[in-house]
């Protein structure tokens, strides 16, 4: 049985009758955002078949089901990154499970470094597009493609209508929200200053070590994708102090409140829309 079928069956048994419409993946230091949910059920990844166990501090490994801004959501607290050694598809089963549970879209969040010296840590950036510089792809070695297209179209990977709704929600909530291109590198070492200069020249605005594999799997599974990253630091060489994971977690924690406000306003907007309304 495909992993997501077994996983969805377990989740459905534990949250009978609950049908999430939006999946949310909470990245480094952002688990607090889940506190905003009116939770219906909470399940450890360890209790869901095929779900991976995160090994990085700041990544919980829990699925919380509940409503946010009136919208039924499934919130994945914590992710496994490709650099943790379980492949580029480490989050494939959780993402496919969201689709299987009835989600129409997934909203990915993460921490990222800025490639603009004038950007300040603490700001949020909606992802308009990405550069996959990880050196791998979550769809490698899957000839059956989970019943979907192996050659996934990534032309409009980040949904333009949902992004417009997100910008509207941000401005209604009085939150500044930048927009840009996210470059994903494998990590876990941070970039060199030369790499940061290269990424800026390639047209990226922010750099991180996640988002992209999940966006690819989600598009293959037919989910619309949006992503927002918390800028936790300036890229290596752009600031006086070097980046660190501790700083990432600390600054991401200070963004949690803005994320809560933004996500609640976004979900309220989606709950009132035709495709998401229940
Ligand atoms: N580089 C890569 N990933 C990151 C960074 C960074 O500077 N900050 C937070 N995640």
């Amino acid at each position: 049985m495909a992993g997501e079928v077994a996983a969805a069956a377990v989740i459905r048994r534990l949250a009978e009758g609950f049908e999430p419409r939006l999946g949310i993946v909470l990245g480094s230091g952002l688990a607090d955002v889940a506190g905003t949910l009116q939770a219906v059920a909470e399940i450890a990844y360890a209790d869901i078949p095929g779900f991976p166990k995160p090994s990085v501090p700041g990544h919980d490994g829990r699925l919380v089901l509940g409503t946010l801004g009136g919208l039924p959501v499934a919130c994945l607290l914590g992710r496994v990154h490709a650099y943790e050694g379980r492949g580029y598809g480490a989050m494939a089963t959780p993402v496919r499970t969201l689709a299987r549970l009835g989600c129409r879209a997934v909203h990915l969040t993460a921490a990222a470094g800025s490639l603009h010296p004038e950007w300040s840590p603490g700001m949020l950036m909606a992802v308009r597009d990405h550069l996959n510089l990880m050196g791998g792809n979550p769809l490698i070695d899957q000839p059956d493609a989970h019943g979907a297209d192996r050659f996934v179209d990534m032309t409009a990977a980040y949904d333009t209508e949902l992004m417009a709704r997100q910008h509207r929600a941000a401005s209604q909530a009085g939150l500044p929200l930048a927009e840009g291109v996210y470059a994903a590198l494998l990590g876990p070492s941070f970039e060199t200053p030369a790499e940061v200069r290269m990424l800026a020249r390639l047209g990226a605005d922010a750099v991180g070590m996640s988002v992209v594999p999940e966006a690819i799997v989600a598009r293959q599974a037919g989910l619309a994708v949006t992503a927002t990253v918390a800028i936790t630091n300036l890229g290596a060489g752009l600031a006086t102090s070097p980046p660190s994971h501790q700083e990432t977690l600390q600054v991401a924690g200070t963004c949690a409140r803005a994320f809560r406000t933004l996500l609640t306003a976004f979900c309220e907007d989606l709950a009132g829309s035709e495709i998401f309304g229940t």
Side-chain angles (χ1 to χ4, degrees), residues 111-113 190-191 207-209 232-233 243 248:
F190 285 108
E191 301 70 40
V207 56
M209 305 171 192
T232 54
N233 57 280
T248 298

